[in-house]
Amino acid sequence: MQKIILILFSLNIFSCVLSPTHQTVKTTEARNLATEDTNDLSSFNETLLVGDSSGNLALLKVGADLKSIKVKSKIKPLPISVHSYNEKFYLLYSNSKFMILDPESGLVEKTLDLPVKDPSDFTFASDGQIYVSTKKSSKILKVDLNSLTEVASIDLDKLRLSKGKIELHQLLLIGENLFVQVARFKSRFEHQQAALAVIDTTTNQLRKTIELSVNDPQINKTLSGMNPEFPMIYDSRRKMILLTLKTGELSLNMGMIIRIDSNTLEIYDFKKAISGTQGIIAFQEPFSKLFIIYHTSTPVTSSHLFVDLVDDAGSLQRVEGALIDNFDGLNALAINSTGTLVAMANTCITGFCENGAGINLIDVSTHKVLPKLKSDFIGFQPS
């Protein structure tokens, strides 16, 4: 059975205007790749779903037999949230379309119209129901996928600060607790301190609000975490939730990772960015190595991938210099479910990129950068 790894070329939220009718397309185009050093990939057996900002999608089979399968769908542009569940890909679009994709054939099995306006993220409550966060209505909705009806609604409007606004971003379900990222704004471009809402799914009521601020003894100031937008990661080994946040403190290195104890629902500790601006992280069982992107802007916007060793207490130790340096600002990073293969996308915004645009693959055990899956194999270029 193939394992699934997910990566998108861009994690930005795109608005789109689409036709109200969409049909399942029952044809695919498959291509094999013959390239040097592909033996380095033969020990893996993964399926990657990749896409670009125009809405092009492709399944990449990574293993002894490399293959690219074009996904044919009329829904454009890129989905705003994608998850794998029960050996299927599920894609949520900003117009509330919900696509179910077969990871073997690349066929769109079904497209649903969710009774949700302005969705942001989703997670499965059970085989037939999902929780959906909304950007502007400040509500979490529970939707039945069979009847396409709303079965519960949790309003988090009271988490606004003064006359500000909130947006609900990524979701994470652990046991009976649904964790919801709450981004707060004074205005469109002025962020306020973010929060993590904890919903009791047995009652569909707000259990607790965790304010995302920490005291930094190095500068004797309180750091406010702002604009949570990357997926939360649950470290089941240490029972910790990892959030990636921006900070209100302007300095050479900006942003931080906050760890929250999933049992006590309290902030446990934090780690400030140590090189540039904090980007997305990838962390998976056995939770011994954490991959992290930092961004710099000198002389041009760039993305740098590092790996940290993680001890039993969760402390991070940088192992070496950057594994990959890309001249773009993408936060496109993923790791497979067994924690053996990392994928990082890159484009060529500045007109220069090492070895072309495409998907960089890294062997977690050796930190070796494996043969890149380039745009001519994928069928389109990252953008």
Side-chain angles (χ1 to χ4, degrees):
M1 179 180 295
Q2 278 197 326
K3 299 180 289 294
I4 289 175
I5 183 172
L6 166 68
I7 188 168
L8 298 178
F9 283 147
S10 174
L11 299 182
N12 293 327
I13 293 175
F14 297 93
S15 60
C16 54
V17 180
L18 302 173
S19 166
T21 58
H22 300 278
Q23 297 179 348
T24 299
V25 180
K26 296 184 178 180
T27 60
T28 59
E29 296 177 2
R31 293 179 296 163
N32 290 312
L33 174 68
T35 185
E36 68 281 359
D37 299 327
T38 53
N39 287 337
D40 289 341
L41 302 174
S42 61
S43 62
F44 298 99
N45 186 24
E46 305 293 341
T47 300
L48 291 78
L49 176 62
V50 301
D52 69 1
S53 57
S54 297
N56 296 306
L57 296 170
L59 291 172
L60 308 182
K61 305 291 185 176
V62 176
D65 181 26
L66 292 175
K67 185 181 291 186
S68 170
I69 302 175
K70 182 178 180 180
V71 177
K72 292 196 173 180
S73 168
K74 294 182 180 179
I75 306 180
K76 305 290 181 180
L78 195 68
I80 57 174
S81 179
V82 183
H83 295 285
S84 58
Y85 181 75
N86 284 349
E87 299 300 321
K88 303 287 184 184
F89 281 121
Y90 295 83
L91 297 78
L92 176 62
Y93 290 81
S94 60
N95 67 340
S96 303
K97 298 289 182 181
F98 190 71
M99 180 192 295
I100 303 172
L101 181 66
D102 176 42
E104 292 300 319
S105 65
L107 295 177
V108 178
E109 295 186 351
K110 190 181 294 185
T111 301
L112 306 175
D113 290 289
L114 299 183
V116 179
K117 291 183 179 181
D118 202 24
S120 181
D121 188 27
F122 72 95
T123 189
F124 277 87
S126 62
D127 285 346
Q129 295 183 335
I130 58 174
Y131 286 103
V132 184
S133 58
T134 59
K135 285 191 66 179
K136 297 179 181 178
S137 73
S138 70
K139 292 181 179 179
I140 301 294
L141 302 179
K142 190 176 184 181
V143 175
D144 186 279
L145 294 178
N146 296 311
S147 63
L148 292 178
T149 56
E150 177 188 313
V151 296
S153 176
I154 305 105
D155 195 341
L156 300 179
D157 186 71
K158 64 182 180 181
L159 299 186
R160 298 173 187 268
L161 295 178
S162 61
K163 296 182 180 180
K165 301 178 180 180
I166 64 171
E167 290 183 357
L168 307 182
H169 291 176
Q170 303 286 327
L171 303 175
L172 177 66
L173 182 63
I174 304 175
E176 296 178 346
N177 288 329
L178 177 66
F179 296 86
V180 185
Q181 294 175 347
V182 181
R184 294 178 171 131
F185 305 86
K186 285 184 180 179
S187 64
R188 182 180 177 185
F189 302 106
E190 190 175 1
H191 296 283
Q192 295 174 305
Q193 180 177 294
L196 188 65
V198 186
I199 306 297
D200 181 348
T201 58
T202 63
T203 62
N204 289 319
Q205 300 292 320
L206 179 64
R207 170 170 283 170
K208 183 172 183 177
T209 302
I210 304 171
E211 294 295 336
L212 298 178
S213 66
V214 296
N215 180 52
D216 184 357
Q218 291 183 339
I219 59 175
N220 194 28
K221 292 181 67 172
T222 297
L223 293 179
S224 293
M226 299 181 180
N227 195 29
E229 56 182 343
F230 300 133
M232 290 176 279
I233 296 175
Y234 180 51
D235 176 358
S236 58
R237 175 177 169 183
R238 301 169 187 84
K239 309 302 183 205
M240 295 287 175
I241 299 167
L242 283 72
L243 286 90
T244 305
L245 296 158
K246 296 178 181 177
T247 54
E249 181 68 22
L250 295 178
S251 62
L252 179 62
N253 301 325
M254 296 178 286
M256 62 181 169
I257 299 172
I258 285 182
R259 289 201 303 166
I260 294 175
D261 189 312
S262 63
N263 292 320
T264 65
L265 304 181
E266 300 285 349
I267 292 177
Y268 184 80
D269 60 11
F270 72 101
K271 177 80 170 181
K272 290 195 299 183
I274 60 174
S275 178
T277 300
Q278 178 75 62
I280 193 171
I281 62 175
F283 195 34
Q284 186 55 269
E285 292 183 1
F287 298 108
S288 59
K289 294 181 181 181
L290 184 145
F291 290 81
I292 182 167
I293 289 178
Y294 289 118
H295 300 290
T296 59
S297 57
T298 51
V300 295
T301 300
S302 56
S303 305
H304 311 277
L305 180 65
F306 295 88
V307 59
D308 290 344
L309 296 180
V310 187
D311 66 16
D312 289 340
S315 298
L316 305 180
Q317 180 182 355
R318 181 62 40 86
V319 230
E320 51 194 277
L323 299 178
I324 295 174
D325 297 296
N326 289 330
F327 294 94
D328 59 35
L330 296 187
N331 278 293
L333 185 70
I335 188 169
N336 63 344
S337 59
T338 54
T340 59
L341 183 68
V342 166
M344 176 187 181
N346 76 277
T347 184
C348 298
I349 293 176
T350 62
F352 170 77
C353 52
E354 185 178 356
N355 201 23
I359 303 291
N360 304 273
L361 300 173
I362 301 95
D363 186 324
V364 173
S365 63
T366 63
H367 307 162
K368 181 179 180 180
V369 179
L370 304 172
K372 178 183 287 189
L373 305 180
K374 298 181 183 180
S375 55
D376 55 351
F377 166 64
I378 299 168
F380 47 81
Q381 180 170 312
S383 60

